[in-house]
Amino acid sequence: MNFDLDERLLRAQEDARRFAEERVAPDAARRDREKIFPNDLLRECADLGYFGFLVSESEGGSGLGNLGQAVVLEEIAAACAGTHVTLSVHNSLVSSPINKFASDDLKSRYLRDVASGKVLGCYLLTEPGSGSDAAAMKTTAREDGDSFVLNGDKMWITSGDEAQLGIVFAVTEMDESLPDTKRISAFVMDFDDPGISFGKREPKLGLRASSTVAVFMKDVRVPKVNLLGERGRGFNIAMDLLNGGRVGIAVQALGIARAALEAVTRAFPDMRRAGRPIGKSQLARFRVAEIAADLDAARLLCWRAAWLRDEGREHIAEASMAKLFATQASNEACRRAVELLGEAGYGSDHVVERLMRDCRVTELYEGTTEVQKLVISRQLL
Ligand SMILES: Cc1cc2nc3c(=O)[nH]c(=O)nc-3n(C[C@H](O)[C@H](O)[C@H](O)COP(=O)(O)OP(=O)(O)OC[C@H]3O[C@@H](n4cnc5c(N)ncnc54)[C@H](O)[C@@H]3O)c2cc1C
């Protein structure tokens, strides 16, 4: 067994760390405060290949794979979780499915543009009445000539109003005797198509540099050739993608927790409590040790799941374990960081205040903590 990253990934990690420190971190607090979507940064990310980790170089991506994505995006998450989620969704839930499930024709029209970052994508699964229970969706796609006509509302869509295309899920099989999971199909939907409109940006606790909106579809005509994968197999596609997406969110949690630990260790030399440096307090040292151990465990779980996915091996439970552990550990790390820094950490101008807010959602989206437990236990039992 070899725990070392190979030369290529080490270089990618080094480059990403430098980019994150020099270009992403400095303005992260302002992006959060003023809710600025990071358009300029995303253009730089596109030039660095951060839109196409899961697509080969010959097709416009970087070909670094899931492990490479985990290594690079940990650095981005440590600097700005809002920028991270925009990239994570695009890679795991947009470039990846077009690469994996699209017909040759569909690929030739979309893959290079999404993998190179010329266009930004989003993933439209959640609806007002269906979050964890995604199969209960109500959006329909009815056949009409050489198109499907889509009607329905999608909620909480990351980058919805910034994206040029989306991977959208809708019920195509109207026979209600079929199980819900066999009635859904996936499509690549061009946002130029008439009939698409957006809600206002959701005000939210964290990830304020990212955009989250409702997307409404009224008689949107999507050509039949934009069907992604087989008709009626959309639910399986959605679930397969979420296995990859979950590793992405586990990595986001990991990056956030690392930033929290770094904020604490940076502050310690100047902090005194009860007349002595806080770094001499055994309680404080034990807290730091616990966070550091959790971080390492989370990283190993993330890398294992990413590696298994790259190898095309079974990884459903492993992806959920990575997300379950990393997101819980990260929330605890952020809570401890605020505790250790005292009132300074609670102030809105301190980085750990933002990290604590950003971290909360990692236990909610791409499957809640409870859903991860259901997935893991289902695999075991
Ligand atoms: C910032 C943000 C960005 C998002 N981006 C996207 C996106 O880009 N695309 C997209 O499609 N969606 C997106 N979502 C939606 C997200 O994936 C859902 O919020 C998530 O799946 C949970 O669904 P829900 O909010 O409807 O919660 P619910 O499913 O209603 O769950 C509520 C609570 O019930 C628990 N629960 C639910 N079912 C069970 C069960 N069977 N057993 C035990 N407990 C259960 C849950 O764990 C949770 O605690 C985003 C959400 C947020 C907050």
Side-chain angles (χ1 to χ4, degrees), residues 335-346:
R335 210 173 65 78
R336 291 295 188 197
V338 171
E339 177 186 283
L340 286 165
L341 297 176
E343 69 277 3
Y346 188 69

Side-chain angles (χ1 to χ4, degrees), residues 123 125-126 131-132 156-158 212 361 364-366 368 370 374:
Y123 177 84
L125 183 69
T126 305
S132 302
W156 289 93
I157 304 305
T158 299
T212 321
V361 74
L364 299 175
Y365 57 11
E366 303 208 21
T368 64
E370 291 70 32
L374 287 175

Side-chain angles (χ1 to χ4, degrees), residues 198-374:
F198 307 102
K200 64 174 177 42
R201 286 206 176 159
E202 298 292 346
K204 46 192 199 293
L205 178 68
L207 300 187
R208 292 177 177 170
S210 73
S211 161
T212 321
V213 295
V215 179
F216 309 113
M217 292 163 287
K218 176 107 185 61
D219 294 331
V220 180
R221 294 192 84 86
V222 175
K224 274 186 180 164
V225 287
N226 279 33
L227 187 66
L228 187 66
E230 277 175 53
R231 183 174 170 161
R233 301 281 293 168
F235 186 78
N236 301 59
I237 292 177
M239 293 303 115
D240 174 73
L241 298 180
L242 287 179
N243 291 329
R246 280 167 188 163
V247 184
I249 301 309
V251 166
Q252 181 183 42
L254 170 63
I256 294 170
R258 198 186 90 200
L261 181 60
E262 286 168 0
V264 167
T265 53
R266 232 182 1 256
F268 265 21
D270 300 325
M271 286 178 66
R272 297 179 74 80
R273 288 291 179 271
R276 54 201 286 257
I278 191 168
K280 297 250 185 266
S281 141
Q282 191 181 65
L283 180 69
R285 295 174 82 97
F286 280 12
R287 290 278 188 256
V288 167
E290 284 160 10
I291 297 172
D294 275 357
L295 267 176
D296 249 23
R299 186 174 295 106
L300 290 171
L301 285 171
C302 287
W303 286 9
R304 178 181 68 167
W307 178 80
L308 286 170
R309 192 161 169 87
D310 281 334
E311 294 289 306
R313 286 168 51 180
E314 191 56 65
H315 62 283
I316 296 174
E318 288 81 357
S320 283
M321 284 179 190
K323 184 169 189 290
L324 175 68
F325 184 82
T327 60
Q328 287 187 323
S330 182
N331 274 281
E332 180 65 4
C334 289
R335 210 173 65 78
R336 291 295 188 197
V338 171
E339 177 186 283
L340 286 165
L341 297 176
E343 69 277 3
Y346 188 69
S348 296
D349 53 356
H350 201 291
V351 66
V352 297
E353 183 264 358
R354 169 165 54 89
L355 297 171
M356 187 166 168
R357 286 188 288 103
D358 283 347
C359 197
R360 189 64 194 89
V361 74
T362 63
E363 280 197 74
L364 299 175
Y365 57 11
E366 303 208 21
T368 64
T369 288
E370 291 70 32
V371 166
Q372 307 314 318
K373 291 179 189 173
L374 287 175

Side-chain angles (χ1 to χ4, degrees), residues 119-175:
V119 304
L120 177 67
C122 65
Y123 177 84
L124 303 105
L125 183 69
T126 305
E127 297 188 1
S130 74
S132 302
D133 184 12
M137 70 177 58
K138 297 280 179 256
T139 295
T140 54
R142 291 179 190 277
E143 238 178 316
D144 184 28
D146 56 5
S147 302
F148 282 92
V149 179
L150 272 66
N151 279 288
D153 300 340
K154 298 288 179 178
M155 298 281 288
W156 289 93
I157 304 305
T158 299
S159 309
D161 58 346
E162 295 284 348
Q164 289 81 44
L165 64 80
I167 306 297
V168 60
F169 298 86
V171 174
T172 47
E173 312 314 303
M174 303 305 160
D175 176 358

